């Protein structure tokens, strides 16, 4: 209850004007200001990069020059506001230059604007239908070849402009006419274009202070200044007023609706793929929120509707501007929006400056842009992955046919190549290294009826009467393949030969007889019908795993440098390398019955020698004692305490138990580890095994070799317990038990076990 009179208002922590409203406003204002301090300078940098690129792309497309600036402004404001990628910058893209140029020639500019707007509607519907991720189901090699083909086409076209001549309508005509253009070059235009190319190529080698100015802006500005000073007669950009005077309403075609619809789908497909791939690339450059691909399609569609309706070029996400935006330190989508505002303001107020830019200067800029679309790294990657033929065919078709046909041909080749790889099951016959050894037939991959011809040919190459081992490493086996292999198996068996089938894949061969073929998750395969001798296992190691192990042991040929000495029980169920995720050269392993530490004369001196070698010779960082559940030595100690006779196991075994009997005494005395193990529900055998680990750790402290090293901090002692039933590893200390599942203490347990 509030004891104050009702006429006295309770004190408020908020400033006047509302319940905390001023505080919330102040916080929001600070947040906005903090982001704006990053977004504002980034938007100016992106604007300076986008301005010359937009002009050049418009010139290469055969569209009005201002159409590029309209698209840049709309892409920044509309796509930046509505898109799903917070840092992607949209605008006219070089990837659609060839398409737009062809549409302008076929339909005219205003109908091309209608195609752009209609393509935006298609993109909008795709985004609403939530198929954004489906648009990424395009082979990357086809996309890279498409961009390279566009680059080649731009270069062939703009070289004519750079040389002072008119480009032709097709890449083939531009290529054949190039010698004549070189012979009849216009010197001033060629020098200006080459100067721009030289500046752009050398820009990255200049000091960082100079490179703060975007290279394209510096090159275009320098080329324009040179033209004004020394070549006033070169052909320049021609404008009819400001950006508002360039607005052109779209117009539907008079006929040929099939070609119109085809153009709409082509533009929508290419613009969507380029935008989504660019957004994915931008996600890899920054650690902020990821792109919502469906929302990005909606934003791109809305931008194309607006751009086409106002007489602008098609809009896509552009990787060059987006990468610049990220590198400039943009924090939110406000940077992209502001960049569009700056483009709009410049186009409205300074259109006169744009008309000073020579066409040859923009041609030099576009030649470099086209060359950068052709990446040697992509060619090398496609060669390594076996996709070079797809890359080359797609590129040639994009250049000499058209973009859509080239992409479709490339996609068809990529799909056929994938199908060929899937259906071409690797089946090989291997001759025996020595006459007593059997032949080997290795089968991997998808085993379907498509592989039957190859299977038949390989099996027929095996001599009659020869013993054969068939290694089946399949992820898919259909009934026909199984029947063919079983039918062949009867032939060598009829001559007295042996045929052994070894399965290593995740599909069981027998399943093909009782169910529809399917790919399954990896499961444990049934054991072979007869026990495989150890030598057969070694033979399998040489055949299947030795080549994988060889690189791991290459540096261990002359010396070893293990991190830990791992003292474990001889029990066959305990695998030190498995439970510590370690490999060759990581663990120095000492195994004895009951994982004990002692220093007695005779046979037990090997423990002393091993400790001395590990600590003084190899300089290990950890000494690990590892016990395990259901330990036979602990059972024997408990059985002896109950009056059982262990003499049947021999005097040596009974004498060895002396090293574990002190652990039983500690268990009876109420050792903390034993009490916790009992509370956790472990059996008496496992309680003793855990106490035994703690006792052996204490022995290390008193050991003449390990003790001083532990006291000096040169090594660390670690106790572990492996629970076979759950496959879990617990940590044992002098005071209790710790769960290591997902929370390994690297600081305490040393590099050997903590950094796996």
């Amino acid at each position: 209850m509030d004891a104050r009179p009702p006429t006295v208002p309770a004190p408020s922590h908020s400033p006047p004007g509302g319940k905390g409203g001023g505080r919330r406003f102040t916080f929001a204002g600070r947040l906005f200001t903090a982001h704006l301090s990053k977004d504002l300078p980034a938007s100016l940098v992106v604007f300076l990069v986008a301005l010359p690129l937009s002009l050049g792309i418009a010139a290469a497309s055969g569209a009005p020059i201002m159409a590029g600036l309209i698209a840049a402004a709309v892409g920044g404001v509309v796509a930046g506001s509505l898109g799903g990628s917070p840092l992607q910058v949209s605008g006219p893209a070089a990837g659609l230059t060839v398409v737009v140029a062809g549409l302008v020639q076929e339909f005219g500019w205003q109908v091309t604007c209608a195609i752009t707007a209609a393509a935006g509607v298609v993109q909008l519907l795709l985004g609403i239908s939530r198929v954004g991720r489906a648009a990424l189901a395009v082979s990357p090699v086809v996309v890279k070849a498409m961009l390279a083909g566009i680059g080649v086409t731009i270069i062939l076209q703009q070289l004519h402009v750079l040389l002072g001549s008119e480009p032709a309508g097709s890449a083939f005509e531009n290529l054949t006419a190039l010698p004549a253009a070189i012979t009849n070059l216009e010197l001033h235009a060629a020098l200006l274009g080459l100067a721009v190319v030289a500046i752009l190529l050398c820009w990255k080698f200049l000091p960082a202070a100079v490179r703060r100015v975007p290279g394209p802006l510096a090159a275009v500005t320098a080329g324009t200044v040179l033209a004004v000073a020394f070549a006033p007669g070169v052909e320049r950009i021609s404008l009819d007023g400001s950006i508002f005077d360039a607005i052109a309403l779209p117009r539907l075609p008079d006929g040929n609706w099939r070609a119109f619809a085809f153009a709409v789908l082509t533009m929508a497909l290419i613009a969507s793929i380029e935008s989504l791939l660019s957004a994915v690339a931008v996600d890899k450059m920054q650690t902020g929120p990821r792109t919502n691909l469906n929302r990005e399609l909606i934003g791109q569609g809305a931008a194309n509707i607006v751009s086409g309706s106002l007489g602008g070029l098609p809009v896509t996400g552009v990787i060059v501007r987006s990468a610049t935006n990220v590198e400039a330190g943009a924090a939110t989508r406000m940077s992209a929006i502001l960049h569009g505002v700056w483009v709009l303001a410049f186009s409205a107020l300074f259109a006169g400056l744009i008309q000073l830019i020579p066409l040859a200067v923009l041609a030099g800029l576009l030649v470099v842009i086209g060359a950068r679309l052709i990446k040697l790294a992509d060619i090398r990657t496609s060669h390594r992955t076996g996709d070079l033929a797809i890359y080359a065919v797609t590129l040639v078709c994009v250049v000499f046919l058209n973009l859509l046909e080239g992409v479709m041909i490339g996609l068809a080749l990529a799909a056929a190549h994938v199908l060929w790889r899937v259906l071409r099951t690797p089946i090989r016959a291997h001759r025996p290294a020595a006459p007593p050894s059997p032949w080997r037939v290795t089968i991997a991959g998808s085993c379907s009826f498509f592989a039957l011809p190859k299977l038949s040919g390989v099996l027929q190459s095996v001599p009659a009467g020869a013993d054969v081992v068939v290694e089946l490493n399949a992820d898919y086996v259909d009934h026909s393949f199984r029947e063919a292999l079983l039918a062949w198996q009867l032939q060598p068996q009829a001559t007295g030969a042996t045929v052994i089938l070894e399965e290593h894949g995740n599909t069981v061969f027998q399943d093909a007889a009782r169910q529809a073929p399917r790919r399954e998750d990896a499961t444990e395969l049934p054991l072979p019908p007869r026990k495989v001798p150890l030598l057969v296992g070694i033979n399998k190691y040489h055949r299947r795993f030795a080549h994988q192990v060889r690189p791991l042991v290459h540096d261990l040929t002359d010396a070893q440098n293990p991190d830990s000495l791992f003292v474990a029980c001889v029990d066959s169920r305990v695998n030190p390398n498995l439970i510590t995720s370690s490999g060759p050269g990581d663990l120095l392993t000492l195994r004895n019955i009951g994982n004990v530490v002692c220093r007695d004369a005779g046979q037990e001196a090997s423990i002393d020698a091993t400790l001395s070698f590990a600590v003084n010779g190899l300089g290990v960082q950890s000494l690990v004692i590892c016990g395990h559940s259901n330990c036979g030595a602990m059972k024997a100690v408990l059985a002896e305490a109950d009056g059982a006779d262990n003499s049947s196991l021999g005097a040596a075994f009974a004498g060895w138990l002396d090293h574990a009997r002190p652990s039983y005494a500690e268990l009876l005395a109420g050792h903390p580890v034993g009490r916790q193990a009992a509370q956790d529900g472990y059996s008496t055998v496992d309680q003793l095994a855990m106490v035994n680990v703690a006792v052996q750790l204490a022995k290390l402290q008193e050991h003449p070799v390990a003790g001083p090293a532990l006291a000096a901090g040169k090594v660390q002692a670690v106790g572990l317990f492996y629970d076979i039933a759950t496959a879990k590893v617990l940590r044992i200390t002098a005071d209790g038990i710790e769960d290591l599942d997902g929370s390994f203490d690297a600081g305490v347990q040393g590099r050997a076990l903590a950094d796996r």
Side-chain angles (χ1 to χ4, degrees), residues 528-682:
R530 62 188 181 88
K531 185 177 180 180
V532 180
L534 183 63
L535 294 180
V536 174
I538 295 174
N539 182 265
K540 184 188 295 184
Y541 160 77
H542 284 139
R543 287 185 278 112
R544 297 183 57 81
F545 305 115
H547 68 284
Q548 299 175 1
V549 174
R550 198 170 295 118
L552 302 178
V553 298
H554 180 267
D555 296 332
L556 302 174
T557 305
D558 299 322
Q560 62 171 321
N561 185 28
D563 296 307
S564 302
L565 170 62
F566 199 96
V567 181
C569 184
V570 295
D571 195 294
S572 61
R573 297 166 293 179
V574 179
N575 189 329
N577 291 105
L578 177 65
I579 65 176
T580 59
S581 301
S582 55
D586 293 334
L587 298 180
L588 185 68
T589 306
L590 171 65
R591 307 192 70 154
N592 59 49
I593 295 174
N595 46 270
V596 297
V597 175
C598 57
R599 61 181 311 266
D600 294 338
Q603 188 179 16
E604 296 83 352
S606 64
I607 299 176
D608 256 6
T610 303
L611 278 170
S612 181
F613 179 58
V615 175
N616 299 326
L618 298 177
V620 299
Q621 297 182 0
S622 301
L623 302 176
V624 182
I625 307 293
C626 182
H628 66 94
S629 61
N630 200 29
C631 178
M634 302 302 110
K635 285 182 177 180
V637 171
L638 290 173
E640 182 183 71
D642 290 337
D645 184 8
N646 291 322
S647 59
S648 60
L649 297 175
F653 177 80
W656 184 263
L657 290 183
D658 287 341
H659 306 303
R661 291 186 181 104
S663 301
Y664 178 65
E666 290 288 339
L667 177 65
L668 294 179
H671 194 283
V673 172
R675 290 201 305 270
Q676 183 176 345
Q679 293 171 1
D680 292 343
Y682 286 96

Side-chain angles (χ1 to χ4, degrees), residues 382-462:
S382 63
H383 180 265
R384 288 197 304 269
T385 57
D387 295 326
L388 185 59
I390 300 172
Y391 184 96
V393 171
T394 303
L395 187 152
V396 170
C397 291
V398 167
V399 172
F400 294 106
L401 295 178
N402 61 59
L403 191 141
L404 185 63
E405 290 181 9
V407 170
M408 292 303 176
I409 292 172
L411 290 176
L413 281 176
H417 195 210
V418 170
L419 185 62
W420 171 250
R421 284 175 170 175
V422 171
L423 300 181
R424 191 182 61 174
T425 304
I427 305 175
R428 296 181 181 87
H430 306 268
R431 294 177 178 274
S437 301
W439 277 68
R440 285 193 306 122
V441 175
T442 56
I443 305 172
S446 298
C447 301
S448 68
F449 62 90
F450 288 104
L452 292 182
K454 186 171 185 179
L455 176 67
S456 176
V458 171
L459 294 179
Q460 288 179 6
S461 67
V462 178

Side-chain angles (χ1 to χ4, degrees), residues 139-161:
S139 173
V141 68
V142 175
V143 176
K144 294 171 182 176
M146 176 194 75
L147 294 175
I150 292 170
V152 171
T153 305
I154 292 174
I155 292 172
L156 292 176
Q157 180 193 64
Q158 293 304 308
L159 278 177
H160 286 271
V161 179

